[in-house]
Amino acid sequence: MGTFEKSTPEKQGISSEAILAFLNEAEQIPQALHSLTLLRHGQVVAEGWWSPYTPEEPHILFSLSKSFTSTAVGLAVSEGKLSVNDPVISFFPEYLPEVVSPELSNMQVRHLLSMSTGHAEDAMQVVEDGGANWVQRMLALPVEYEPGTHFLYNTGATYLLSAIVQKVTGQNLLDYLQPRLFTPLGIEKPSWEISPEGIVTGGFGLSLTTGQVARFGQLYLQKGVWQGERLLPAEWVEEATRRQVSNGSNPESDWEQGYGYQFWRCRNGAYRGDGAFGQYCVVMPEQDAVLVITSGVDDMQAVLNAVWKHLLPAMQEEPLPENPQAQQALAEKLGHLELAPVKGNATSPLGEMISGWYYKLEANPYGLTNFSFDFSGEGCLLTIEDESGKSGKSAISCGYGQWQRGRMRVNQQGERKLAASGAWTAEDTYTAHFYFLSPVEPVPLPRVVGAMPFGLTLTCRFNGERVAIDLKARPSFAPEMWKEVQGQAF
């Protein structure tokens, strides 16, 4: 259930050479793509995963989650549970501020859907201050503009949509969608973060595989029909994906083509759900195509630019002549995708001397206490300890010229699978890079359970008995937080 037939690109009217050109350009974009699935006429014409990412592993989707929340609202509307014209305050009389402003009173469900609530700042900001009741705190925020007149990308609005669905159906978003969307699409037991008040976060936190997101995109391309069964009203698909509100006027930006109901309008007649650092579900109705990408890029526009440059013009109405040579080149490329391991030397004279040493770290914001390096085998065995003692001890094998899979304790996320690579990038400098994958064991929500886009680079510079460890996360929501940590051998 939920699988696609595979086809050569040419049979579906796409040049294999164009797909290869897209891949080559996409790989030049700083940071990295993690996976890709391209559907044309309902068939897979190209798919690939950049090692260490895999087809089976769910990937955190960030704000691509919003499009699934919109779908839940559409289903609830079709079942008569609510209307997009319903006032937001009607759902939460117990949480209203003492004084309800005219702007808050006029806010409707449609304004939450179209990011036109009238807020001047994202209502999700209340989460940063702590506290359990997110709904009450969001409703207490000032509404500076008349709803419907001002676009502001607002993850708090999506959270309120999730809360409304839960209020009118008696089920959280995940449980509500399971029999109506996920099970028909063959998506078993997806995970989604939940707030302290027991509400699915809605605007972020959903983890799915690339193939599962592709089924969602194909459902929308097919106007809500999946394998002959209507799952979603065609009217909702039309409303959710058309331009509901203006969000700019730059013709070169895919973030200024209008916004629907938790979907972005794109150039070239397309629309998409997307999430931070390049999680895309691009639907191209005119071309009868769906493109799903997961990635860890900072420049999200560059990826879409490459799509419009290479893939879009390559989609022809009729099949193309088969091109065995180009098809073979494309298959080779897709079969050997890999994020580059750290480049450098396998050994250093310094490595033999410090192998087995323990370094006590100065106080640092990450809670790390000790590091040790073992260069006696192939690559490096890096041992990291934190303030929690033995439970916070991670032994990470860094492969040389390849990714070595292992595990590491990551803050409150428990142990995570990771892939690590390392090399001597100078005689006194050892550099290791990690990619964080799925948790080792299922963890209770609200923890993130999918693979992450983030890579962590440790640059370790040795000077006698001291080490300076520079930590950098790429991509990062807050790059300025990563700082150098000093250590002394003992």
Side-chain angles (χ1 to χ4, degrees):
M1 179 186 290
T3 57
F4 297 102
E5 294 183 3
K6 296 184 178 181
S7 171
T8 65
E10 279 72 19
K11 283 182 181 178
Q12 307 307 321
I14 307 178
S15 161
S16 293
E17 293 174 328
I19 300 175
L20 190 58
F22 167 78
L23 292 171
N24 289 334
E25 179 163 328
E27 287 188 321
Q28 302 307 309
I29 299 171
Q31 278 81 67
L33 267 60
H34 299 164
S35 72
L36 168 144
T37 295
L38 177 60
L39 306 175
R40 184 93 199 277
H41 306 321
Q43 298 194 39
V44 176
V45 296
E47 61 180 352
W49 288 262
W50 279 260
S51 175
Y53 292 91
T54 64
E56 302 81 17
E57 202 155 44
H59 199 287
I60 187 69
L61 299 180
F62 294 106
S63 286
L64 179 49
S65 309
K66 290 178 169 68
S67 300
F68 289 82
T69 300
S70 170
T71 303
V73 174
L75 289 166
V77 167
S78 72
E79 293 174 0
K81 303 290 187 182
L82 76 153
S83 162
V84 297
N85 299 317
D86 288 339
V88 173
I89 61 173
S90 68
F91 300 100
F92 309 108
E94 70 277 28
Y95 293 143
L96 297 182
E98 290 185 8
V99 177
V100 176
S101 69
E103 291 78 13
L104 178 59
S105 180
N106 292 336
M107 189 190 301
Q108 300 176 355
V109 171
R110 67 169 65 250
H111 300 132
L112 299 177
L113 287 162
S114 61
M115 299 296 190
S116 59
T117 59
H119 288 107
E121 295 184 39
D122 188 343
M124 208 69 192
Q125 66 174 317
V126 300
V127 178
E128 299 176 0
D129 302 327
N133 196 317
W134 293 4
V135 170
Q136 185 174 29
R137 301 181 73 198
M138 289 178 185
L139 292 174
L141 291 175
V143 182
E144 290 86 346
Y145 303 93
E146 180 64 25
T149 66
H150 177 75
F151 174 83
L152 174 77
Y153 194 66
N154 189 344
T155 298
T158 317
Y159 181 75
L160 290 175
L161 290 171
S162 176
I164 289 171
V165 170
Q166 185 162 323
K167 193 74 174 286
V168 300
T169 67
Q171 295 178 290
N172 71 31
L173 206 64
L174 196 58
D175 292 338
Y176 179 71
L177 283 176
Q178 189 63 58
R180 295 166 174 82
L181 178 73
F182 293 129
T183 297
L185 293 183
I187 302 173
E188 297 182 2
K189 298 180 179 179
S191 62
W192 208 327
E193 293 181 69
I194 294 179
S195 75
E197 57 186 325
I199 298 171
V200 170
T201 50
F204 59 94
L206 178 62
S207 295
L208 295 174
T209 67
T210 314
Q212 291 168 344
V213 178
R215 296 171 215 167
F216 177 74
Q218 188 68 25
L219 172 69
Y220 267 81
L221 180 65
Q222 295 170 175
K223 304 291 187 183
V225 174
W226 180 256
Q227 296 182 340
E229 178 186 358
R230 177 159 296 285
L231 304 184
L232 190 62
E235 296 81 3
W236 182 262
V237 174
E238 177 66 27
E239 286 296 292
T241 61
R242 75 175 179 87
R243 181 184 179 127
Q244 293 283 349
V245 63
S246 175
N247 58 358
S249 57
N250 182 355
E252 302 300 318
S253 171
D254 282 290
W255 278 262
E256 297 188 31
Q257 304 304 308
Y259 195 79
Y261 286 166
Q262 309 286 294
F263 285 88
W264 295 89
R265 291 295 307 176
C266 303
R267 293 175 289 169
N268 304 300
Y271 61 87
R272 73 188 186 284
D274 76 26
F277 309 123
Q279 325 314 317
Y280 306 88
C281 180
V282 182
V283 180
M284 296 169 265
E286 296 174 14
Q287 290 74 30
D288 193 27
V290 173
L291 175 65
V292 175
I293 291 173
T294 62
S295 60
V297 300
D298 284 322
D299 190 350
M300 293 176 63
Q301 183 64 69
V303 177
L304 293 176
N305 288 345
V307 173
W308 311 139
K309 176 181 177 181
H310 296 288
L311 298 182
L312 195 76
M315 296 182 186
Q316 306 300 313
E317 293 185 5
E318 301 296 329
L320 301 175
E322 295 292 342
N323 188 339
Q325 185 175 357
Q327 290 169 4
Q328 179 63 30
L330 177 60
E332 287 287 326
K333 178 73 173 180
L334 291 169
H336 296 88
L337 297 172
E338 182 182 45
L339 303 181
V342 179
K343 292 181 171 60
N345 296 321
T347 60
S348 168
L350 185 59
E352 298 178 9
M353 182 180 76
I354 66 171
S355 186
W357 285 13
Y358 272 81
Y359 292 87
K360 183 175 181 61
L361 303 181
E362 297 175 354
N364 59 82
Y366 322 113
L368 303 177
T369 56
N370 299 317
F371 262 70
S372 71
F373 305 84
D374 183 351
F375 295 102
S376 61
E378 186 173 340
C380 172
L381 181 64
L382 175 63
T383 302
I384 304 173
E385 298 180 35
D386 65 24
E387 295 167 344
S388 56
K390 290 184 178 179
S391 63
K393 185 175 182 177
S394 300
I396 303 165
S397 181
C398 302
Y400 175 70
Q402 62 181 343
W403 294 103
Q404 187 73 34
R405 289 181 172 266
R407 56 183 63 182
M408 179 180 178
R409 186 174 180 275
V410 182
N411 297 329
Q412 287 76 41
Q413 303 299 330
E415 273 197 316
R416 274 191 170 271
K417 298 175 186 176
L418 59 71
S421 168
W424 287 92
T425 51
E427 286 190 4
D428 64 347
T429 304
Y430 184 79
T431 301
H433 193 91
F434 308 152
Y435 279 107
F436 296 109
L437 307 176
S438 296
V440 173
E441 298 289 344
V443 292
L445 295 173
R447 297 174 181 176
V448 179
V449 300
M452 295 179 173
F454 311 115
L456 181 64
T457 299
L458 281 70
T459 304
C460 308
R461 295 186 301 277
F462 300 94
N463 183 9
E465 295 185 350
R466 292 193 63 80
V467 63
I469 302 173
D470 184 46
L471 296 93
K472 279 191 171 51
R474 296 184 68 187
S476 174
F477 284 114
E480 69 281 356
M481 71 169 283
W482 301 95
K483 302 180 184 300
E484 185 176 87
V485 179
Q486 298 283 335
Q488 174 72 45
F490 68 98

